[in-house]
Amino acid sequence: MSFRNATILTLAAFALIGCNRDDVKVYHVAKDDSAAPPQNQIVAPVPTENSQPQLQFKLPGGWQEIAPSQMRVASFTVTGTNGETADVGVIPLPSTGQEIQLVNMWRQQMELPALTNETAAETISVGNDSAKLFDIASDALLIDGKSRARILVAMLTRGEMSWFFKMTGDDSFVAAQKPNFLQFLKSISFVQNAPAQIAAAPAAQSEGGKSIWAVPPDWKQIDPGAMLSAKFSITSGDGSAEVNILSSGMDSGLAANVNRWRGQLGLPTADETDFSKSISTFDIPNGHATLVDFNGTDSKTGKPARLVGAIVPQNGQTWFYKLMGDDEIVASQKDAFIKFIQSAKYPDAGNAP
């Protein structure tokens, strides 16, 4: 397992773009994500419909801006005097409260054993806000079999969003860059009241403009927002359910993803042995998909809910399908949900939403 593949969290490949490293940069939501953004502007996901903060910061010397992937709002490469490199990314995601799960995912990337209790984190500043810093180094020589790896992750929660500022690279180089990383974080500011613009969602269509799925007639396609590839609502009487679809350049592991869903139902974190009885597989045209089925309490509404989730690797992408809502509707739609997934005709990885 290469260090690069093990440490990237739901990220795609990057394309380099130039920047003035000492300039203050502004990241905002663009009207059309199909057009290339100006050099000093990067398309950012929309945290909420009514509050779309701009992210401002000042880059340390030796940091170069590169094009962000689908999940990032900013990406940088850091180069040392001897050719050392590190990767820095800024990723906003909906808050889940599953801190130990995230820490264990990063520890898994460093090939370290999982923790059962909350780990100590350093308190730092991201702009004027207090944040947590996790500093995790591998014991094994993960980089080309010659040196240890290290992750620095600052986690800041603002409203319903958590912001992750992550640096990965060689252990000694990341340790040497830590003061610059902390200075970068202190320079950050969030500018509220940005123009009300909504980023276009990743297209859930093939190049020919047709849906890549055969959508059941009682499913209504709705705005997926900035983070999802597609979203559908299902209603029957007073009950409802939703289907969310997300594609990612990498799967962070079965346990991490299943526990992410368990957290949405208020269920405790479990290892693969504990939830193995809830896992099954089904056939898709080019392989197999993993299926999970849980009952619990919706962490947002406090109401009983059921979640059926599927993980589908295709063409270098991992697709995450989630059917969640009232138990009766989810039960009645489970077969249609599986057939929907089986109907997919995926684009190539380079063109995937």
Side-chain angles (χ1 to χ4, degrees):
M1 177 179 63
S2 70
F3 171 69
R4 176 175 291 275
N5 286 339
T7 56
I8 298 176
L9 173 63
T10 59
L11 303 173
F14 303 117
L16 291 174
I17 58 175
C19 70
N20 296 320
R21 63 191 181 191
D22 292 327
D23 291 344
V24 173
K25 299 296 181 182
V26 178
Y27 289 77
H28 75 120
V29 180
K31 292 182 180 179
D32 183 359
D33 68 350
S34 65
Q39 188 171 345
N40 69 333
Q41 298 173 341
I42 302 296
V43 176
V46 183
T48 69
E49 292 182 0
N50 298 319
S51 177
Q52 301 160 29
Q54 295 179 341
L55 184 63
Q56 297 182 339
F57 54 83
K58 187 172 182 178
L59 292 183
W63 288 40
Q64 184 180 24
E65 178 185 333
I66 60 177
S69 67
Q70 179 176 309
M71 298 297 290
R72 292 187 179 190
V73 297
S75 291
F76 311 94
T77 186
V78 185
T79 304
T81 56
N82 296 320
E84 313 97 325
T85 61
D87 173 70
V88 179
V90 182
I91 311 164
L93 294 171
S95 299
T96 65
Q98 299 292 312
E99 182 177 304
I100 187 64
Q101 174 187 334
L102 293 169
V103 172
N104 281 332
M105 181 174 63
W106 298 322
R107 289 180 62 84
Q108 181 184 31
Q109 293 168 1
M110 294 290 97
E111 297 189 1
L112 297 172
L115 301 175
T116 56
N117 298 312
E118 296 290 331
T119 183
E122 182 180 349
T123 300
I124 60 164
S125 296
V126 174
N128 296 322
D129 297 311
S130 178
K132 293 182 177 181
L133 179 70
F134 301 92
D135 189 343
I136 306 171
S138 71
D139 293 328
L141 305 180
L142 298 184
I143 301 181
D144 300 326
K146 298 178 181 179
S147 58
R148 299 194 305 165
R150 194 182 197 99
I151 299 177
L152 296 176
V153 186
M155 183 173 70
L156 169 67
T157 299
R158 290 173 55 86
E160 297 181 354
M161 300 295 293
S162 289
W163 291 76
F164 298 91
F165 304 83
K166 182 178 178 183
M167 171 180 277
T168 61
D170 176 89
D171 179 22
S172 59
F173 184 58
V174 171
Q177 283 289 323
K178 185 174 180 178
N180 284 338
F181 184 67
L182 295 177
Q183 191 62 38
F184 163 72
L185 296 176
K186 287 181 181 179
S187 75
I188 289 172
S189 62
F190 295 86
V191 181
Q192 300 294 335
N193 300 320
Q197 301 167 346
I198 299 177
Q205 297 179 338
S206 66
E207 291 183 1
K210 297 180 179 180
S211 174
I212 68 172
W213 302 282
V215 181
D218 52 344
W219 291 18
K220 179 182 179 182
Q221 188 162 5
I222 57 178
D223 181 7
M227 307 302 292
L228 299 177
S229 297
K231 186 173 185 177
F232 301 88
S233 67
I234 309 166
T235 57
S236 178
D238 295 330
S240 64
E242 288 186 348
V243 174
N244 290 351
I245 304 163
L246 169 70
S247 66
S248 167
M250 183 178 172
D251 179 4
S252 55
L254 179 63
N257 286 299
V258 172
N259 278 321
R260 173 169 57 87
W261 284 330
R262 287 177 62 86
Q264 294 172 10
L265 288 179
L267 300 174
T269 299
D271 59 30
E272 293 189 29
T273 300
D274 293 334
F275 59 65
S276 60
K277 294 181 180 179
S278 302
I279 295 176
S280 61
T281 61
F282 62 91
D283 293 331
I284 55 176
N286 295 317
H288 302 281
T290 301
L291 188 74
V292 296
D293 192 339
F294 299 121
N295 282 88
T297 301
D298 189 324
S299 59
K300 293 183 178 180
T301 66
K303 297 179 180 179
R306 181 174 176 179
L307 186 155
V308 177
I311 302 174
V312 181
Q314 284 287 312
N315 298 338
Q317 295 284 111
T318 301
W319 293 74
F320 301 93
Y321 294 84
K322 182 181 74 172
L323 167 63
M324 181 173 168
D326 295 330
D327 187 7
E328 291 185 2
I329 293 182
V330 172
S332 67
Q333 291 289 330
K334 183 175 180 179
D335 288 343
F337 177 67
I338 292 174
K339 291 179 181 178
F340 168 76
I341 296 170
Q342 291 171 326
S343 75
K345 295 178 175 60
Y346 296 98
D348 292 336
N351 297 320

